[in-house]
Amino acid sequence: MLTFLAAGSVFFPGLFLLSKQCLKSIPVLRWSEGDAVIVSARLVSSVQAVMASSAGYIIASSCDDIIEDQHWLTSTYIMFAVPYFVYDIYAMFMCYWYKLRVKGHEEALPAPQHMASALTSYLRREFLMVLHHVVMVTVCFPVSVFVRQGKGDYFQGIMFMAELSTPSVCLGKILIQYKQQHTLLHKVNGALMLITFFICRVLLFPYLYYVYGRYASIPFHMVPLSVPWHCNLGAALLMAPQLYWFSLICRGALRLFTGSSRSRRPRTGAAATTDGGTAGPQPANGYSARSTEPELATH
């Protein structure tokens, strides 16, 4: 098992560094360090999402008994993927850092403590997402590998498939980062993101409760009273941030499709600065109640 943990510890940071180097060195591209970092972080997140969703589908489709059936890929992928959440905290910070530099905010930070001040600002702004990642590593990982005792692989597989919403989220981040809110691609991707996030994340736990109710032959509304209290607590804690992020997605989608966000072709930097000053960096995780259209994400 430690082999897969080590493999994940090398794979995700290695893919990030390889992608960043390629984007910077390929003659046709020659992207800046900041652009390469931001796009590489999105790429790694998308790759992890595809891998997790694929593993989840294989696991869930192989389990006839949703409680007792086991699949070797369940614990294996958990061990492989847990380093991703540690890496992603770093990657999100690097995205945040380069956005600060691009917008000139590093000049406002007290020298020579630019990085320390940026880290403090990042942790304060992205507290919920960082907390989510920390909980995934310190709580969900040991529970999934050691406490379950091999039961409920079907449920674990379905939870892996929640990552199906991530690629459209990452594409949305990139389009917003490069001021492409006016494009048809952004609107189509926004609709896809709204649908996949709702199905894969908001409906996730109601579906799991429904499936268990059918398995145990009990009514859906009685399931919370029939399962251990810690299962209800864990489901509630995991679902709460999903509902919050989904509300931000809906807010951004409403602005996008009603035109109230004024998502036509972006104005020049001078005009934008004249109207409202220099805007602060968008959050590294992509969810913002303050942005005109949330730079959506998750994990």
Side-chain angles (χ1 to χ4, degrees), residues 52-121:
S53 301
S54 301
Y57 175 77
I58 293 171
I59 294 166
S61 61
S62 69
C63 294
D64 295 323
D65 187 311
I66 64 173
I67 300 297
E68 300 296 336
D69 282 359
Q70 299 181 17
H71 195 287
W72 64 268
L73 190 55
T74 307
S75 295
T76 299
Y77 190 76
I78 292 172
M79 295 292 290
F80 177 75
V82 71
Y84 164 79
F85 293 97
V86 179
Y87 142 82
D88 198 46
I89 293 175
Y90 165 79
M92 288 192 301
F93 171 69
M94 293 306 298
C95 292
Y96 185 82
W97 169 247
Y98 278 106
K99 288 174 186 176
L100 283 177
R101 295 183 63 184
V102 167
K103 293 178 179 295
H105 284 263
E106 78 280 2
E107 296 176 0
L109 298 174
Q113 299 171 327
H114 293 168
M115 185 66 76
S117 298
L119 179 60
T120 301
S121 175

Side-chain angles (χ1 to χ4, degrees), residues 112-179:
Q113 299 171 327
H114 293 168
M115 185 66 76
S117 298
L119 179 60
T120 301
S121 175
Y122 161 72
L123 292 174
R124 183 171 58 251
R125 190 181 182 97
E126 309 297 343
F127 174 77
L128 184 59
M129 182 60 76
V130 173
L131 178 63
H132 170 272
H133 281 32
V134 171
V135 169
M136 292 296 292
V137 174
T138 60
V139 179
C140 296
F141 165 61
V143 168
S144 298
V145 175
F146 304 112
V147 178
R148 287 190 311 116
Q149 298 180 339
K151 294 185 181 294
D153 277 17
Y154 173 84
F155 294 99
Q156 193 69 60
I158 294 296
M159 293 181 72
F160 284 165
M161 293 176 67
E163 292 291 335
L164 276 170
S165 63
T166 300
S168 61
V169 163
C170 291
L171 178 58
K173 289 180 179 183
I174 294 173
L175 292 174
I176 290 177
Q177 178 67 25
Y178 295 104
K179 311 299 182 185

Side-chain angles (χ1 to χ4, degrees), residues 234-247:
L237 292 177
L238 288 174
M239 190 171 181
Q242 310 303 329
L243 292 174
Y244 170 70
W245 289 323
F246 183 67
S247 71

Side-chain angles (χ1 to χ4, degrees), residues 1-34:
M1 289 300 237
L2 292 179
T3 302
F4 296 107
L5 187 66
S9 300
V10 172
F11 177 77
F12 294 111
L15 179 60
F16 172 78
L17 294 174
L18 177 63
S19 173
K20 184 182 72 169
Q21 188 60 36
C22 288
L23 292 174
K24 290 171 56 181
S25 59
I26 292 177
V28 179
L29 299 177
R30 297 287 186 183
W31 285 11
S32 68
E33 176 80 11

